[in-house]
Amino acid sequence: MPKGLIIYNKKESDITDYSVLRLLESARSKNIDLSILTPEQFELVVTQSDRNSILVDDQPTLLPDFILPRIGSATSFYALSVIRQLEHLGVYSCNSANAIKNVKDKLLMHQILAYSKLATPKTMLAKFPVDVSVIKREIGIPLIIKNVTGTQGRGVYLCESEEKFSDVMELIYTNNANANIIIQEFIETSYGRDLRVFVTGGKVVGCMQRIAKSGFKANFSKGAEVQPYKLTSEAEWIATEASRLLNLDVAGVDLLFGEDGKFLICEANSSPQFHGLENVVGKKIADDILDYILVKIGMK
């Protein structure tokens, strides 16, 4: 029986996350021994000698066949270290520590994508004190302000005027002068809607359009409506190419509707939720993920 671990920030008894619960449900149907551990339950002991076990809750535990990190942009340095250590010991991680790090830092993610000629909104790293004239010249107003690390629409603000932008940046600077903030071009043609494309093993396994009930944030977790969307060959290529460049085995790639039917990559997620997507395409995403993992570890 294949043995796997979901690396998550809550213990199994406390979990209400739909996607994690679906993975556990799917694992039972596939006769996979899948359990959940938090990074803090691991003890990291680095040694030259090969080992076939790790310390979990201070007890030697046999290595799993695979791990499935489900922390996303909230992945801490310690959690990344745990994932790297398990990879070093020969355990397959879906996704790798380096891939998670690539997308945890939104500026790095956009650098990787833009330097590979994939269309993304123009993006700058904020430098305090902010020179508004430079921002207006390079990005324009309206614009988007984002935390470098954020997820599910948290820490994302639309500034529609120079005055509002200055007020928000002053507030951020007053509370944390060392805050890592990115400033991004506002794509007006995608106001209140986007595409979530789910990629597993380099193939698109589901796509949906998200439409905000109000405002510009189209996250399902924020109450957005989800609809089926027939993916164009261009959008499919962009999503799979982004996943490849970021080395993501499983990815949720968010696409914005640009002008003239073109798409831009808003961001990619290493631990994408799929509640809304399974509402659209049926209960298959968790199965697709686990089937892919079984192929990768040679047990299917």
Side-chain angles (χ1 to χ4, degrees):
M1 176 187 293
K3 178 178 174 58
L5 295 175
I6 293 177
I7 309 296
Y8 193 58
N9 54 11
K10 293 182 181 179
K11 293 188 177 182
E12 193 162 338
S13 58
D14 299 324
I15 289 175
T16 58
D17 182 286
Y18 172 90
S19 300
V20 173
L21 293 173
R22 276 286 296 122
L23 287 164
L24 293 173
E25 177 186 22
S26 178
R28 287 192 293 270
S29 71
K30 296 178 180 296
N31 200 32
I32 299 172
D33 179 6
L34 185 61
S35 55
I36 296 173
L37 290 176
T38 68
E40 291 72 26
Q41 290 179 264
F42 292 85
E43 297 292 345
L44 286 183
V45 181
V46 180
T47 176
Q48 282 186 316
S49 59
D50 291 331
R51 300 178 61 183
N52 61 3
S53 67
I54 48 177
L55 288 177
V56 176
D57 294 327
D58 205 26
Q59 298 296 318
T61 304
L62 290 176
L63 291 174
D65 297 299
F66 68 89
I67 57 171
L68 181 54
R70 290 292 305 178
I71 308 176
S73 65
T75 305
S76 65
F77 174 83
Y78 191 84
L80 282 173
S81 299
V82 168
I83 296 166
R84 285 196 191 96
Q85 178 75 354
L86 288 165
E87 289 180 287
H88 173 72
L89 294 172
V91 177
Y92 167 63
S93 180
C94 180
N95 293 295
S96 71
N98 283 341
I100 294 169
K101 185 178 179 181
N102 283 345
V103 296
K104 174 181 167 69
D105 181 336
K106 294 183 187 298
L107 181 66
L108 174 60
M109 175 187 66
H110 280 286
Q111 288 172 325
I112 292 171
L113 296 175
Y115 296 163
S116 299
K117 308 300 183 184
L118 289 182
T120 65
K122 190 182 294 186
T123 303
M124 288 179 65
L125 182 66
K127 182 176 66 173
F128 293 105
V130 174
D131 188 332
V132 178
S133 64
V134 174
I135 302 300
K136 288 175 65 178
R137 184 188 71 222
E138 297 297 332
I139 301 294
I141 294 176
L143 54 75
I144 302 292
I145 298 174
K146 292 182 178 180
N147 284 326
V148 167
T149 59
T151 186
Q152 296 182 336
R154 291 188 289 269
V156 180
Y157 306 93
L158 170 61
C159 291
E160 297 173 301
S161 68
E162 181 178 334
E163 181 181 13
K164 184 177 180 181
F165 170 71
S166 297
D167 288 344
V168 172
M169 296 307 288
E170 182 179 340
L171 179 63
I172 293 171
Y173 180 68
T174 301
N175 284 277
N176 182 6
N178 296 313
N180 292 315
I181 301 295
I182 58 174
I183 301 164
Q184 199 166 70
E185 174 188 10
F186 172 57
I187 308 301
E188 186 175 1
T189 48
S190 200
Y191 183 91
R193 66 186 183 121
D194 67 6
L195 291 183
R196 161 58 62 87
V197 185
F198 206 99
V199 181
T200 300
K203 297 180 180 179
V204 173
V205 297
C207 174
M208 65 180 176
Q209 181 175 200
R210 304 184 295 190
I211 302 173
K213 288 185 177 180
S214 63
F216 75 100
K217 296 181 184 180
N219 301 79
F220 179 74
S221 61
K222 300 289 184 183
E225 177 187 352
V226 294
Q227 299 176 347
Y229 189 88
K230 187 176 181 180
L231 204 61
T232 65
S233 57
E234 178 204 8
E236 182 173 5
W237 179 82
I238 291 171
T240 54
E241 183 68 359
S243 300
R244 184 187 70 81
L245 289 168
L246 296 167
N247 296 316
L248 292 169
D249 294 327
V250 171
V253 182
D254 296 338
L255 302 181
L256 301 176
F257 294 90
E259 296 180 353
D260 301 322
K262 301 296 184 181
F263 293 97
L264 299 90
I265 301 170
C266 178
E267 63 183 49
N269 303 276
S270 65
S271 188
Q273 299 294 319
F274 49 84
H275 188 178
L277 190 58
E278 287 202 334
N279 286 347
V280 170
V281 303
K283 287 192 171 183
K284 65 183 288 290
I285 302 301
D287 296 338
D288 289 334
I289 293 171
L290 292 177
D291 285 342
Y292 171 73
I293 289 173
L294 292 177
V295 170
K296 286 289 288 186
I297 64 176
M299 301 189 75
K300 182 172 182 176

